[in-house]
Amino acid sequence: LKRRTRRRSWPSFALPTPSPHLWVNLGCGAAALAVIAVATWLALPGPPPAPPVAMATPVPVPLPPAPERTMARITVPIPAIPPDERGEISAPAPQVAAEPPPAPPETKLAALPPPVLPPAERGEPAWLRYAVSVPPANGRPEIAIVLDDVGVDRKGAERAVTLPGPLTLSFMAYADDLPRLTEAAHRAGDELMVHVPMQPISAAEDMGPNGLSVDLSRDEVLRRLRWDLGRFDGYVGINNHMGSRFTADAAGMTWVLEELKKRGLLFLDSRTIGNSVGIEVARKLGVPHAGRDVFLDNELDAHAIAARLAEVEEIARQHGSAIAIGHPHDVTLDVLGPWLAAVKGKGFVLVPVSAIVRQHTLLAGGTG
């Protein structure tokens, strides 16, 4: 008999397939444990701070000197202002008279309105008719004090009128309120002049409205001059405001002085430039004239002004007369007031500028 051999079968053990939820639960649990561990670590107190460590102060090490650098020097030319013209620079007027409209280019001199001649032209010249009379000097040296730029500063003008005189007050042609101010000066016994703006050398300096310049035609120069001369009346003549450029121009000064001769007026050259032709042309045309000897207040300093007045006295002693020009600045008037009160006691005669012009005219053999 064949023996039947029976294969024994062993039982199979199959592992269960993990569920997806199991992995999710394991991940969440691990994350929770990590959060708890981090929170516990943050809650623990940290180590004590380390004590500060003293640092040694570094010793500065000197740097080698930087090599010297040579820089090119650039010189910018600045227009020179004549020293005597600096005294003519003044503050602008708060209110300035309007400048006349320009004449059309085709205007001819013959078409210009004729000058309105003052009553003096019908008899003696205006410069004599309106001159302030003074007693004879009897050989004593004469001094004329001229204040110009008057009227630009109304307060200064009013104060100048109160000074002992006679003074010569030259009112700026473009200033405001001239009829009232000039009438007050006339009542105070002062002599009047018109201060006519003229072109300076430096273009940086403003001569003011309606000034005379070398680039103007003869018609325009005369039109502007006639406007200046029409601002008030009762004056003996003019002197130049600035004018270092214009007074050196023979043609322009000839036109101006020819007009003054027609009107019987005198010319005082402020001499803001050494090569002014004003005196030369006035002599040639027979216009009564004089020139400034001393500027009083190029330096606005009381001691400097007093020194200039002493210079005026010396010139008057040597030559018999002297003409000084100043301005109605406060410091000038402060020094001038006591000097005017004492000048007669020093042996001088205070006169208006027309008195010195008269002496010059008589010595020259003219009548003006």
Side-chain angles (χ1 to χ4, degrees), residues 208-221:
N210 204 33
L212 311 183
S213 60
V214 298
D215 59 339
L216 298 175
S217 67
R218 181 172 184 262
D219 290 6
E220 182 63 13
V221 167

Side-chain angles (χ1 to χ4, degrees), residues 23-366:
W23 298 111
V24 172
N25 292 335
L26 290 175
C28 291
L33 290 174
V35 170
I36 293 172
V38 171
T40 304
W41 180 79
L42 292 176
L44 294 176
V53 179
M55 301 292 292
T57 303
V59 178
V61 179
L63 297 176
E68 185 178 357
R69 300 174 60 185
T70 304
M71 306 224 18
R73 185 169 186 173
I74 301 175
T75 302
V76 179
I78 300 175
I81 302 175
D84 287 341
E85 191 157 69
R86 286 176 294 186
E88 290 292 296
I89 300 173
S90 56
Q95 297 181 354
V96 176
E99 183 176 357
E106 66 274 12
T107 302
K108 302 299 181 183
L109 182 60
L112 293 173
V116 179
L117 301 180
E121 281 294 314
R122 296 194 292 266
E124 60 183 349
W127 76 275
L128 292 176
R129 183 178 182 89
Y130 294 129
V132 172
S133 60
V134 291
N138 295 325
R140 291 176 295 172
E142 299 176 327
I143 295 177
I145 300 295
V146 180
L147 295 180
D148 58 24
D149 290 1
V150 182
V152 176
D153 177 5
R154 192 175 305 180
K155 180 181 177 181
E158 293 172 347
R159 185 181 173 192
V161 171
T162 65
L163 293 177
L167 302 176
T168 301
L169 303 185
S170 189
F171 285 84
M172 186 70 79
Y174 59 75
D176 196 18
D177 200 20
L178 288 180
R180 182 183 70 86
L181 293 173
T182 55
E183 176 62 24
H186 178 73
R187 289 198 306 268
D190 295 323
E191 195 163 84
L192 309 181
M193 293 183 67
V194 182
H195 202 37
V196 175
M198 299 183 187
Q199 182 183 7
I201 287 178
S202 173
E205 302 302 329
D206 184 10
M207 61 179 167
N210 204 33
L212 311 183
S213 60
V214 298
D215 59 339
L216 298 175
S217 67
R218 181 172 184 262
D219 290 6
E220 182 63 13
V221 167
L222 291 178
R223 186 187 70 85
R224 293 187 177 204
L225 177 62
R226 290 169 183 174
W227 183 87
D228 294 334
L229 296 176
R231 298 288 291 143
F232 61 96
D233 55 20
Y235 48 82
V236 298
I238 75 167
N239 73 319
N240 52 291
H241 170 66
M242 298 190 178
S244 55
R245 178 69 181 89
F246 189 83
T247 58
D249 182 67
M253 289 304 298
T254 297
W255 302 336
V256 169
L257 291 166
E258 285 175 344
E259 183 71 12
L260 297 186
K261 184 174 183 179
K262 291 178 183 178
R263 294 171 177 254
L265 299 170
L266 63 82
F267 173 64
L268 172 63
D269 194 337
S270 300
R271 286 178 172 163
T272 57
I273 193 68
N275 62 340
S276 170
V277 298
I279 298 296
E280 177 185 349
V281 176
R283 186 182 295 115
K284 179 179 177 181
L285 295 177
V287 175
H289 60 274
R292 183 269 313 165
D293 294 301
V294 177
F295 262 131
L296 296 178
D297 48 11
N298 276 346
E299 293 182 68
L300 291 180
D301 175 80
H303 296 290
I305 295 170
R308 299 291 79 75
L309 286 169
E311 184 180 346
V312 173
E313 296 175 7
E314 184 61 27
I315 293 174
R317 290 190 186 97
Q318 292 181 5
H319 302 282
S321 64
I323 298 175
I325 291 181
H327 306 83
H329 303 303
D330 285 339
V331 63
T332 305
L333 301 182
D334 289 342
V335 178
L336 200 54
W339 182 87
L340 290 170
V343 67
K344 295 180 181 179
K346 297 180 179 180
F348 299 98
V349 179
L350 189 65
V351 298
V353 75
S354 63
I356 296 180
V357 172
R358 188 193 299 262
Q359 292 296 326
H360 291 177
T361 303
L362 292 177
L363 291 174

